[in-house]
Structure formats: C-alpha cells, structure tokens
Amino acid sequence: MSQWFETKVKYDKTMLDTGAIKSVTEPYLVDALSFTEAEARIIKEMEPFVKGDLVVTAVRKVRLDDVFYHEGGDRWYKVKINMLTIDEKTGVEKRTASFSLVQASEFKLALEYFMEAMKSVLFDFEIVNITEMAYLDVYGADLGGNKAEE
C-alpha cells in the first residue's frame, strides 16, 4: 500500500518571463516508505533541474487511497468521496471517507477521469468535493529499487 508525503522544496528558480532569479518554495507529492525516504527521493528527483541550493522545508504525510494518472493532465485534483455501506446489524447507513488524486487539465476532465476509474467498484459512493491541488508533480513508487550488488 502506498504512503504519500507532501514535500515542500525551496530553491532559486530562473523566471521564464523576466530571466530574474527568485527564491521559490514549491510542493511535490512523493510515494515513500518513511519521512526520510520521502526527503531523499524529492532531492534525487529535483537535483537535475536545480542549480544551487536545494532545501526540503517540509515533509508531511498525506492520506490518499488512489492516484489516477492521465498523460494530458498538467494539474492535480484531490477527490473526496464517502463510501456508503449498510451496517448489517443495525441497518444504519455508514459513510467512510476516501481520498483520491486525479491528474487532468481541467476540473471537468478530472471528474470524468475519476468516474471512469470508479466504474468497476463494488460499493456505492458519493462525491463530497473536488479540489485543485498546487502540486507541481507527483512521484510514484520507485520500483526500480536499489538492489544490492551480487
């Protein structure tokens, strides 16, 4: 199961419109096993793109149950749903929150991609909200791993 961490990275960025160098702090999402691995992974991912100092200013755990990638998307949308179940003993409807991240180029497409991905689920659900996130990129699990040399 994935563990997602929101990382904030501070570095000097050359602004495309003016050419000026500006210190920026940007959020990225990383799938990692621990806070330490999340920090190491974001540094590894960002180093090729950054000249000068690179500082991870924050790492926090984020609850996500699914991430749906879509090649044409340049934005990330967090979708909160309530899974609806019936307690067999009492007959009372129970709502359990679940969070997903969807990559899309606009809100309407995020909703469309999410609904397409949820076609095969075997439970009823209701969408509570969809929020555009500020993440510049999302780095999934590094399945290549660091294998020990034989």
Side-chain angles (χ1 to χ4, degrees):
M1 186 165 151
S2 297
Q3 288 189 50
W4 291 95
F5 294 86
E6 178 182 284
T7 61
K8 294 199 177 183
V9 180
K10 183 176 182 178
Y11 64 97
D12 292 335
K13 182 177 187 176
T14 303
M15 306 312 287
L16 295 176
D17 51 348
T18 64
I21 295 175
K22 181 179 177 185
S23 181
V24 296
T25 301
E26 298 176 330
Y28 294 87
L29 201 64
V30 178
D31 183 4
L33 297 174
S34 67
F35 287 88
T36 304
E37 183 188 356
E39 183 175 0
R41 286 229 27 237
I42 196 61
I43 289 170
K44 178 183 168 192
E45 295 289 350
M46 294 297 297
E47 276 183 335
F49 306 107
V50 175
K51 292 181 183 172
D53 290 338
L54 171 70
V55 179
V56 178
T57 60
V59 178
R60 74 177 185 95
K61 204 173 212 181
V62 176
R63 181 176 164 208
L64 283 176
D65 300 304
D66 289 302
V67 175
F68 302 110
Y69 297 92
H70 192 271
E71 281 188 32
D74 58 350
R75 297 180 188 151
W76 293 94
Y77 295 87
K78 187 174 185 179
V79 180
K80 178 182 179 184
I81 66 168
N82 282 333
M83 296 181 289
L84 307 174
T85 57
I86 304 291
D87 185 316
E88 292 180 15
K89 293 180 183 175
T90 63
V92 175
E93 185 175 75
K94 180 180 175 186
R95 288 175 162 75
T96 306
S98 176
F99 300 90
S100 298
L101 198 64
V102 180
Q103 184 179 23
S105 58
E106 63 181 49
F107 179 89
K108 182 179 176 183
L109 289 174
L111 175 59
E112 184 179 311
Y113 298 153
F114 179 76
M115 293 304 291
E116 180 68 27
M118 297 299 285
K119 275 186 177 179
S120 62
V121 299
L122 301 175
F123 56 84
D124 291 332
F125 66 92
E126 61 186 6
I127 296 176
V128 177
N129 66 32
I130 301 176
T131 306
E132 184 176 347
M133 304 303 289
Y135 302 133
L136 293 184
D137 213 341
V138 173
Y139 298 102
D142 184 9
L143 300 178
N146 297 325
K147 295 183 181 179
E149 292 184 39
E150 295 181 33

